[in-house]
Amino acid sequence: MFHALVAIKQVPDTTNIRIDPVTGTLVREGVPAIMNPYDAHALAAAVEWKRKLGGKITVISMGPPAAITSLREAIEMGADRSILISDRKFGGADTLATSYTLAQVIQAIHAQDPIDVVFFGKQAIDGDTAQVGPGVAVRLGWPILTYTIGIRNIDLENRRLVAERKTERWVEIVEVPLPAALTCEKDIAPIPYAPLPDLLRSLRYQPEVWTTESGHCTFDPNQIGIKGSPTVVYKQGTPPLPTPGEKINAREIGTAEAVRHALDKAVASGVLKSILGGA
Amino acid sequence: MGVRRFWAFIEQELGQVHPVSWELLGVARRLASQVEDEARAMGDTVAVEGILLGHEVEPIAHEAIKYGADRVYLLDDPVFKHYRNCPYAAGITAIARKYQPEVFLIGATTLGRDLAGAVATALRTGLTADCTGLEMEEVKGSPKKLLLATRPAYGGNILATILCRNYQPQMSSVRPRVFPMPPYNPEAQGEIIREDISISEEEAKACILEFIHAKGESVNIEYADVIVAGGRGLGGPEGFKLLEELAKELGGVVGASRPCVDAGWISYAHQVGQTGKTVRPKLYIAAGISGALQHKVGMQNADFIIAINNDPKAPIFDVADVGIVGDLYQVIPEMIQQIRALKEAKA
Amino acid sequence: MTHHSTPAKQAIQFDVIVVGAGLAGSAAAMVAARKGLNVALVERGQKPGGKNYFGGAIYTHAIAEVLPDFMELNPPFERPVTEAGFWFLHPDGGMTRMTVRGGKLDRAPADAYTTLRARFDPWWAEQAQKAGALLVPKTTVVDFIRDSEGAVIGVQTDRPQGEMYAPVVIICEGVNNLLAQKLGLKDRDLEPAHVALGFKQVIFLPKELIQARFGLQNDQQGVAVSVLGDVSLGLPGMGFVYTNKDSISVGLGMMLDVLAEYRLKPYDILQRYLSHPAIAPLVEGGQLVEYGAHLIPEGGWRDMPRLYTAGALVAGDAAAMVNALHWEGTNMAIIAGKLAGETAIEAHSRGDFSAKTMSRYEDRLRQSFILQDLQQYRNFSRFLEQHPQFMDVYPRFLNDALGNFFTAYGKPKKQLFKDIYAALTQRRPLLKAAGDIIAMGRSVMGW
């Protein structure tokens, strides 16, 4: 029976971000929180394979209590069990501390109920680092395939998985032994429109909550949260405004004149010379 | 007498080096020079070193030296012939533990991003991804200068500077074209150290069954000298034909802002911006692009930027060296004509 | 339409299914769930209210009928309406105002509160959930499940395995009553002549500025006015202005067929309305937060579908329960929802969901003001169009008359009254004016 574990993160919808013009900090209120889109596609892929092979999906998320809504959404999308990993002591974690915390949880679950594949989204749209997936895999000692755009086969009997990875220059078909980890591109699976029974189940589902003291799993206090984070934000600010150049109104002086003026400037800067060559 | 090592990962696939590796050597050199005085005062030396994995890739190690590496650690073995996460991470981790670099830079390419997180976790150290700024600076409470790594966050709306205090190496990944190419010195001398690491195929875990190369033209806009880019103002995919004409005249390539790619007018390979490619061409012509922050961060370091937009308030004009307020469907043809005339005049 | 004899074993079964978590739907769900019935409140939007839009103000009598102690539950109202009335805009830039302020309007809780639906509807649905109803979002009901006799026994949603069963389905789907049509309760789709388009802008302004411009002392005072006259390029239409806490809702309603015939863009009409010297200073310097539109069913009595059939009831905009003159629709929706909920409770206690039992819903509606008013105002919907003099002649006469009155200093007053009389009769012969009064009586009083 296939057991997949999907790690998700709830993130602010970065297409809707606003910066407070006075303080220079993020305006967080009113920004909707969503399941990281890459994680959603990763979960969709896991669900596809659960339907093919039979089995179950456990979803975990390290985050604040608000992440419960995304964990319910995961049930709506087809997960069987979802777990919130939340504790003040996890706060301020960078990618190293995060991968530690997640790896501890995954190992605890794996010990009870062996996992075949761990799915991650390729990156979170707020942090954009893409580091946690590989970090967790290294800690577990499992192989990882990033930028996965498709899974060709999961062979539970022979313990092998074949997937497609997309790099800048080509697509690789790679085979890894199970258990394995994947980070996924959006292409890996479309988000399905959940069947009504799954939606209703998610509305009534209460995710489990694991803390440092709930007894589900042990955490070394020196490796979680701020204590376990080598990197800290030293300072933060808005990008400096560049000095604007000259603006020519083609409607006033005519297109030909405007273009001539612009090209003259380019020539004067030396750029055109080096492109077109010659004196 | 210690050596403060500044490392750059030399990325190669099928014997071809990704130019970001050279850019990183340039950065490593700059960072090393920023601590030279401090090192001397403490009785240490600095070194810029490359780390290279592959099979039969020694010529690349020589190239690295010509781009400024004092030394290159070479792991040359059939197990490293094609990139795979497990053997590469294991190999690099072993060498890093042996030589204890202070700073370690990796290019934020697909390969680099697959690798960096694994290595940083194996070394139990901090990694800052997609840095746009790197400096060695004095930090209160630290006897030595530390690496300050700046990166955009929250969709580019915020610039965060990250510090990795008590852990080594301080790791950063850097996107291609963010930093300039260093000078190339064919006379440069340096050391190549072959490291013996044995990793079995079983330990390598992954097995690459097949490579599927993309059909049709493969566009790489990252290293183009001239980019003529179009945005929503084009109104449709046909607009790119016009831009292609101008690009041809200038010996360049066509780029695009994200909305055009999302709308299916042109393929993702042409996308410039935060979620696309970062470019530093000599000349960037932005036609019908509003200049949202996420696009700007991908092209603002071009040497010369010409912007064309109907809206005088478009933010692209803030970053352009010269801007034309007008209809791109009139301006671009005019520009093509005038460029042709310029070329004829030279001939 | 799917026919089933009995639902399958693992069927999704409820006592009541309410379609649409708007004002009517959540009221129905609340009432039924409170009595211990297992209620599913099915909403197609991401969350309730996301698809709802109005002027507007909510009348608290209706809320109180469903939730007597509503004020203790902190409803997200904007401002109490302490000033209400009519403004007439004139083509010469002038304005005549007739409003009532204070006095009866100073009660707490107020009779009406200005409201923003995106904030209110979720709260209203939350009360239904607190009562025990299950809110099922992001799910659209597309059809009904009926038994061999044609009685409604459930709904088909657009999700895979999306059948839900219940012996009573309360349809609160809003103005686009496709489901009511599917049930055969209405034989035609909406007609542009019976539908108005309400469109507005919500303009942000600091609280204190709103208070200064509208003469309000604090944020426990607010204004709700209907605006007539030169609001819609001389075509039939009614405008409105509502003060919210820190924004103003200004907009218009016009009949869809008028907009289509003259090929008018609502946005352009709205811009012109906002530039009228009476309105412009109120919104000056404000920041546009929202621009939107929504259909309003104004066919009234003549356009209402049949309100029930075996196993199903229709309430709210889906049943065209709107009194256009009095801007009443939301209160009708809430009360109708409540009455539908009560009918569902009655049906369950009897174990009888036949058309006869469902007809008790219509009985309840007749006893309430809803059907009485709709019947009384049955001629109103085309009134403005058929009697354009109420749009231009009378407001202008009013402007002239009052304008003359207030500038007649030093003039012989006999002349003044002659002038006023002439101002009327020049525009409208006396006999016709008398006829207008009768027409108005017919339309408004139901003579």
Side-chain angles (χ1 to χ4, degrees):
Chain A
M1 270 254 294
F2 181 52
H3 182 196
L5 184 135
V6 185
I8 67 171
K9 184 182 181 190
Q10 192 181 66
V11 295
D13 188 354
T14 55
T15 54
N16 264 318
I17 292 284
R18 283 176 301 134
I19 304 293
D20 184 316
V22 173
T23 61
T25 54
L26 226 50
V27 176
R28 282 197 186 261
E29 54 155 72
V31 177
I34 56 173
M35 188 190 300
N36 183 41
Y38 292 103
D39 302 348
H41 286 272
L43 175 54
V47 171
E48 251 181 42
W49 282 92
K50 165 187 150 172
R51 299 217 198 283
K52 277 190 219 187
L53 305 171
K56 62 178 187 285
I57 298 174
T58 305
V59 173
I60 66 175
S61 184
M62 184 176 118
I68 288 259
T69 52
S70 292
L71 286 166
R72 278 215 190 93
E73 213 184 307
I75 302 287
E76 178 189 329
M77 287 175 65
D80 298 279
R81 178 186 181 201
S82 66
I83 302 169
L84 174 67
I85 306 156
S86 186
D87 195 303
R88 262 187 214 289
K89 299 199 180 118
F90 296 139
D94 71 355
T95 51
L96 190 72
T98 303
S99 68
Y100 170 76
T101 310
L102 291 177
Q104 288 298 104
V105 169
I106 295 172
Q107 273 161 353
I109 296 172
H110 185 63
Q112 298 279 330
D113 194 354
I115 298 167
D116 299 305
V117 184
V118 177
F119 288 79
F120 296 90
K122 104 173 160 184
Q123 67 198 50
I125 60 175
D126 58 354
D128 286 332
T129 64
Q131 286 160 204
V132 171
V136 171
V138 156
R139 290 179 187 274
L140 296 172
W142 297 357
I144 179 143
L145 297 176
T146 59
Y147 298 97
T148 313
I149 55 169
I151 299 173
R152 286 216 178 161
N153 191 28
I154 300 179
D155 183 345
L156 294 175
E157 230 189 273
N158 295 312
R159 309 299 297 159
R160 315 224 40 92
L161 175 148
V162 178
E164 297 169 9
R165 280 191 75 219
K166 184 156 196 257
T167 70
E168 286 107 338
R169 296 166 68 185
W170 53 63
V171 171
E172 293 173 354
I173 315 298
V174 192
E175 186 183 74
V176 286
L178 296 180
L182 303 175
T183 80
C184 306
E185 288 277 16
K186 288 186 185 173
D187 299 335
I188 194 172
I191 313 279
Y193 194 39
L196 188 61
D198 288 354
L199 172 63
L200 291 178
R201 183 155 172 266
S202 77
L203 295 172
R204 294 164 170 141
Y205 185 83
Q206 198 47 34
E208 297 165 46
V209 182
W210 290 18
T211 69
T212 53
E213 281 157 28
S214 60
H216 295 97
C217 175
T218 53
F219 299 98
D220 173 1
N222 293 317
Q223 296 198 62
I224 58 173
I226 296 184
K227 274 219 187 123
S229 301
T231 59
V232 290
V233 177
Y234 184 60
K235 58 179 183 228
Q236 210 165 255
T238 43
L241 297 167
T243 45
E246 191 188 338
K247 226 189 287 191
I248 313 163
N249 195 331
R251 292 191 210 113
E252 276 169 23
I253 63 173
T255 307
E257 192 49 48
V259 172
R260 203 179 329 268
H261 193 100
L263 291 180
D264 282 345
K265 285 217 130 184
V267 167
S269 79
V271 138
L272 268 190
K273 220 179 285 181
S274 89
I275 291 171
L276 300 178
Chain B
M1 259 261 294
V3 186
R4 295 174 68 167
R5 305 183 198 277
F6 291 77
W7 277 16
F9 173 67
I10 312 294
E11 177 181 326
Q12 64 79 26
E13 275 184 307
L14 301 183
Q16 279 197 307
V17 181
H18 196 296
V20 71
S21 318
W22 309 144
E23 293 162 13
L24 292 181
L25 279 177
V27 178
R29 176 59 63 195
R30 181 169 56 82
L31 296 175
S33 63
Q34 286 176 340
V35 303
E36 232 157 11
D37 292 340
E38 178 187 87
R40 201 176 305 123
M42 293 180 171
D44 294 328
T45 56
V46 301
V48 171
E49 301 173 338
I51 175 160
L52 170 66
L53 287 77
H55 184 49
E56 294 170 348
V57 289
E58 188 167 323
I60 295 177
H62 289 285
E63 282 296 280
I65 289 168
K66 295 180 181 138
Y67 275 105
D70 298 316
R71 189 170 296 112
V72 176
Y73 301 100
L74 175 58
L75 281 75
D76 200 312
D77 189 285
V79 82
F80 299 124
K81 179 157 187 209
H82 294 293
Y83 171 77
R84 291 173 294 179
N85 182 279
C86 286
Y88 269 62
I92 294 175
T93 304
I95 304 301
R97 285 198 179 123
K98 185 173 174 188
Y99 291 101
Q100 301 281 307
E102 182 167 329
V103 166
F104 188 4
L105 307 175
I106 300 184
T109 58
T110 319
L111 189 159
R113 294 171 117 231
D114 184 293
L115 181 60
V119 169
T121 307
L123 293 175
R124 296 293 190 271
T125 186
L127 166 65
T128 308
D130 299 336
C131 300
T132 53
L134 289 165
E135 304 289 328
M136 298 301 289
E137 279 188 24
E138 289 189 12
V139 174
K140 218 163 48 164
S142 171
K144 288 198 208 164
K145 283 186 185 171
L146 292 177
L147 180 66
L148 286 186
T150 305
R151 68 182 302 261
Y154 293 106
N157 289 289
I158 290 238
L159 272 186
T161 303
I162 315 289
L163 190 60
C164 175
R165 221 183 247 271
N166 300 311
Y167 296 74
Q168 200 146 280
Q170 302 165 78
M171 290 184 66
S172 286
S173 76
V174 181
R175 288 220 176 169
R177 298 304 265 160
V178 171
F179 292 102
M181 286 283 263
Y184 181 78
N185 179 3
E187 314 291 320
Q189 297 293 312
E191 217 188 326
I192 296 178
I193 301 185
R194 280 179 171 274
E195 292 286 337
D196 247 318
I197 298 281
S198 110
I199 296 176
S200 70
E201 269 303 311
E202 211 195 317
E203 285 169 306
K205 300 212 174 100
C207 173
I208 302 180
L209 304 178
E210 205 183 322
F211 289 95
I212 302 176
H213 290 258
K215 298 186 197 90
E217 41 107 29
S218 59
V219 181
N220 194 347
I221 62 171
E222 267 172 326
Y223 290 90
D225 275 339
V226 178
I227 299 178
V228 181
R232 235 197 289 245
L234 285 178
E238 317 76 36
F240 282 106
K241 294 204 191 94
L242 184 61
L243 300 186
E244 176 70 54
E245 232 190 288
L246 178 57
K248 260 209 197 104
E249 287 297 328
L250 293 164
V253 297
V254 168
S257 68
R258 182 173 168 173
C260 300
V261 175
D262 285 349
W265 296 350
I266 193 168
S267 72
Y268 174 70
H270 297 265
Q271 184 173 322
V272 174
Q274 172 138 44
T275 46
K277 300 262 166 62
T278 306
V279 297
R280 299 171 73 92
K282 293 185 174 151
L283 175 63
Y284 190 88
I285 300 176
I289 295 179
S290 67
L293 194 54
Q294 291 92 328
H295 183 80
K296 263 197 255 187
V297 303
M299 43 64 72
Q300 60 195 352
N301 286 323
D303 291 340
F304 197 85
I305 300 170
I306 302 177
I308 304 152
N309 198 300
N310 250 328
D311 175 9
K313 294 201 219 119
I316 190 78
F317 289 120
D318 294 335
V319 81
D321 292 286
V322 75
I324 301 178
V325 179
D327 179 359
L328 68 95
Y329 284 105
Q330 294 190 333
V331 171
I332 300 283
E334 179 64 36
M335 203 174 272
I336 293 173
Q337 273 197 37
Q338 292 195 17
I339 298 276
R340 281 195 188 134
L342 272 175
K343 283 160 81 174
E344 263 160 51
K346 285 197 199 291
Chain C
M1 191 156 55
T2 24
H3 291 266
H4 294 246
S5 43
T6 41
K9 275 278 169 60
Q10 318 112 302
I12 296 169
Q13 180 79 40
F14 289 91
D15 293 327
V16 182
I17 293 172
V18 179
V19 181
L23 294 178
S26 294
M30 214 181 302
V31 164
R34 262 204 290 246
K35 278 292 195 266
L37 291 181
N38 199 6
V39 181
L41 180 54
V42 185
E43 166 58 43
R44 68 188 166 126
Q46 184 82 7
K47 58 177 203 160
K51 306 205 177 270
N52 286 340
Y53 216 59
F54 80 157
I58 297 248
Y59 309 118
T60 50
H61 78 95
I63 308 267
E65 274 203 45
V66 180
L67 271 183
D69 47 6
F70 66 93
M71 279 314 269
E72 287 161 40
L73 299 164
N74 276 321
F77 290 132
E78 295 295 312
R79 287 175 184 265
V81 175
T82 53
E83 179 176 343
F86 289 92
W87 292 355
F88 298 92
L89 302 190
H90 307 294
D92 64 3
M95 162 161 74
T96 304
R97 298 197 198 194
M98 272 182 10
T99 63
V100 178
R101 179 193 274 229
K104 285 208 180 124
L105 290 165
D106 267 346
R107 281 197 279 247
D111 288 317
Y113 286 83
T114 58
T115 306
L116 294 169
R117 296 295 292 274
R119 291 184 194 162
F120 186 81
D121 286 30
W123 176 86
W124 189 234
E126 208 187 302
Q127 307 314 308
Q129 288 178 282
K130 279 197 208 156
L134 180 71
L135 176 65
V136 184
K138 305 181 288 189
T139 306
T140 306
V141 173
V142 297
D143 206 342
F144 296 94
I145 305 172
R146 302 170 108 171
D147 67 14
S148 47
E149 276 132 48
V152 172
I153 57 168
V155 299
Q156 180 71 49
T157 66
D158 61 346
R159 288 186 178 268
Q161 298 162 54
E163 285 146 12
M164 294 172 75
Y165 291 88
V168 184
V169 177
I170 304 178
I171 303 165
C172 306
E173 60 181 324
V175 56
N176 249 318
N177 53 6
L178 300 166
L179 290 174
Q181 291 172 41
K182 270 224 164 108
L183 270 187
L185 298 175
K186 192 160 195 284
D187 50 17
R188 293 182 305 252
D189 197 357
L190 288 176
E191 281 165 60
H194 295 163
V195 179
L197 185 71
F199 43 100
K200 73 170 183 185
Q201 288 188 349
V202 178
I203 294 169
F204 168 81
L205 279 167
K207 244 196 230 187
E208 297 73 21
L209 205 49
I210 295 179
Q211 280 148 215
R213 290 182 183 177
F214 286 86
L216 308 168
Q217 285 172 319
N218 51 44
D219 66 3
Q220 288 312 300
Q221 294 190 332
V223 174
V225 290
S226 303
V227 186
L228 301 173
D230 184 26
V231 297
S232 41
L233 304 173
L235 298 164
M238 273 217 273
F240 53 82
V241 176
Y242 293 92
T243 55
N244 306 310
K245 277 217 179 72
D246 50 16
S247 61
I248 306 181
S249 297
V250 268
L252 294 164
M254 289 181 73
M255 297 310 284
L256 216 51
D257 62 338
V258 171
L259 284 169
E261 185 184 332
Y262 291 89
R263 293 178 209 261
L264 296 169
K265 290 203 190 111
Y267 188 78
D268 295 335
I269 308 177
L270 196 51
Q271 289 305 109
R272 199 160 162 288
Y273 170 58
L274 289 170
S275 65
H276 190 285
I279 307 280
L282 298 173
V283 299
E284 163 79 43
Q287 192 196 359
L288 176 63
V289 169
E290 222 177 281
Y291 166 66
H294 204 278
L295 295 176
I296 306 169
E298 295 201 358
W301 182 258
R302 296 183 202 280
D303 216 30
M304 292 176 79
R306 282 190 2 255
L307 298 171
Y308 63 90
T309 183
L313 304 169
V314 192
D317 275 9
M321 293 175 174
V322 170
N323 181 333
L325 176 60
H326 289 267
W327 300 99
E328 283 186 281
T330 52
N331 57 340
M332 291 193 176
I334 292 170
I335 307 264
K338 171 192 173 211
L339 298 177
E342 285 174 1
T343 309
I345 293 168
E346 189 183 325
H348 269 282
S349 72
R350 286 208 216 152
D352 179 340
F353 307 96
S354 63
K356 185 148 186 283
T357 308
M358 294 295 112
S359 74
R360 295 274 301 126
Y361 172 55
E362 195 167 310
D363 295 342
R364 290 179 160 93
L365 284 170
R366 249 185 254 282
Q367 283 161 25
S368 81
F369 72 102
I370 295 177
L371 283 184
Q372 290 178 43
D373 282 3
L374 286 172
Q375 190 161 18
Q376 178 173 327
Y377 284 80
R378 67 190 175 284
N379 292 321
F380 182 76
S381 79
R382 306 308 302 183
F383 181 77
L384 283 183
E385 198 187 347
Q386 287 154 0
H387 302 271
Q389 58 273 27
F390 283 93
M391 295 288 309
D392 48 38
V393 170
Y394 288 116
R396 262 185 245 180
F397 162 62
L398 200 58
N399 184 34
D400 279 351
L402 290 174
N404 278 338
F405 191 87
F406 288 108
T407 53
Y409 309 109
K411 257 202 212 148
K413 300 301 176 282
K414 248 198 201 149
Q415 188 56 44
L416 166 66
F417 286 104
K418 272 199 187 141
D419 288 344
I420 291 180
Y421 182 78
L424 171 63
T425 52
Q426 263 163 28
R427 289 194 170 95
R428 196 90 183 134
L430 218 45
L431 209 55
K432 289 226 164 146
D436 287 341
I437 296 180
I438 295 176
M440 184 133 168
R442 266 231 202 102
S443 150
V444 171
M445 302 293 290
W447 292 345

